[in-house]
Amino acid sequence: MTSISYVKQQHITRLCVRCGLLLMQYGAESAVVVDLSKRLGLALGMNSVECSLNFNAITLTTICDERCITTTRDTINQSINVNLLVQIQQIINKTETTVNHNDLIDRTTLAFDELDKTVYPTWLVSVFVGASCAAFAYLNGGSWSITAVTFIAGMVAMLTRIYLSKHHFNPFITVIVTAFIASLIGATTYYFDIGNNADIAVASSVLLLVPSFPLINSLSDILKGYVNIGVGRAVFTYMLTLSACVGIVMALVLMQIQHWGF
C-alpha cells in the first residue's frame, strides 16, 4: 500500500469524525456509529481507527504507519432521519468495494457533501401526526367528535414542536410547550362536554411526544456495552417524558380539570 502523507491522514480523520457526527446527530445507535466510522477509515487506507463516544461528543483516532491523529467534536441533537443514515451506509459500502483508489478520498468527501438532507414538508408531517393521534383515539373507543378534536390537537402540537425546534429552543422547553398546547386543545372536550370520553382525547393528543426511538437506542447501547452513552440517552429520554407530564399538568390545572384518567 502507498504511504499516506500526514495531510491525507488529517483529511481522512476529519472525514471519519464527520461520518460519526452525522450518524450520532440523526439517531444511529452507538454500535453503528463506531462500526461505520472504523470501516470508513480502514477503507480509505488507515491501519486502525479508534472511536470513543459520549452523550454529546465523539473522539476519534486514526493510526497509519505508527502515526496517530486524534480529534474531538461536539454533537448537536437533530431530528431522526433514517434516510440519511442509509445514505451514509451506502457511501461506506461503495468506498469499501472501490477497486480504483485514485482520488477515493475526494470522491468520498464529495459524496458526503451531496447527502440528501431534505425532509417532508412541515404541513405534511403535522397532518400525518395528527392522523396517527386521531387513529389511536378511535381505536381506544373514542367517538368521531373525540377523534376530530384529537386530530386537531396532534396537528397543532406537531406544528408547534417543529417551529420551536427550528428556532433552537431547549428540547425540554419545547416538549413542555408542545404537551401544554396538545393537552389544552384535547381538554376542550371536558370543558364543552364533547364526545363520549374526554380522557381519550387528552391521552391521545400527546402521543407524538412518546420518545420511543431514543428509548430503544438507549437500551440497545447499554446491552451492547456502551453503558455511558446508553445511560445518558436514557436520562435524556426520562427528562423528555417528565417534561411532557409537566406540560399536561399545566394544561389541566389551567382548565381546572380535577379528574383525569381512565
Side-chain angles (χ1 to χ4, degrees), residues 1-176:
M1 180 179 293
T2 305
S3 178
I4 296 177
S5 66
Y6 182 80
V7 174
K8 278 190 175 182
Q9 186 177 350
Q10 281 185 316
H11 194 168
I12 294 171
T13 304
R14 287 194 294 266
L15 194 57
C16 290
V17 80
R18 180 183 179 185
C19 171
L21 275 175
L22 287 171
L23 291 169
M24 287 185 68
Q25 289 172 352
Y26 289 96
E29 61 178 279
S30 300
V32 173
V33 175
V34 173
D35 179 60
L36 292 182
S37 299
K38 287 185 176 182
R39 285 170 55 189
L40 178 60
L42 295 175
L44 293 175
M46 296 294 99
N47 298 131
S48 178
V49 178
E50 304 299 330
C51 185
S52 175
L53 304 179
N54 292 318
F55 177 71
N56 57 354
I58 176 173
T59 301
L60 187 137
T61 300
T62 58
I63 303 173
C64 181
D65 298 331
E66 299 183 357
R67 182 178 59 220
C68 300
I69 296 180
T70 301
T71 184
T72 300
R73 297 288 188 278
D74 292 331
T75 63
I76 301 174
N77 289 327
Q78 303 283 354
S79 58
I80 305 299
N81 192 334
V82 179
N83 177 48
L84 194 69
L85 304 183
V86 172
Q87 290 181 65
I88 294 174
Q89 189 167 14
Q90 290 174 341
I91 291 173
I92 295 172
N93 290 337
K94 185 177 180 180
T95 302
E96 289 177 326
T97 56
T98 300
V99 177
N100 183 10
H101 290 274
N102 295 329
D103 299 326
L104 181 59
I105 299 174
D106 293 333
R107 280 180 286 162
T108 305
T109 303
L110 181 62
F112 274 94
D113 291 337
E114 295 177 346
L115 283 172
D116 182 13
K117 296 183 181 180
T118 56
V119 295
Y120 293 111
T122 300
W123 67 267
L124 184 62
V125 174
S126 301
V127 167
F128 273 90
V129 168
S132 66
C133 293
F136 184 80
Y138 181 76
L139 291 173
N140 278 276
S143 62
W144 284 109
S145 55
I146 291 291
T147 302
V149 172
T150 304
F151 173 78
I152 296 172
M155 183 175 64
V156 174
M158 192 62 195
L159 285 170
T160 303
R161 185 177 191 178
I162 294 174
Y163 176 83
L164 294 177
S165 297
K166 284 183 177 179
H167 287 78
H168 308 290
F169 277 77
N170 182 284
F172 305 121
I173 299 298
T174 299
V175 170
I176 290 174

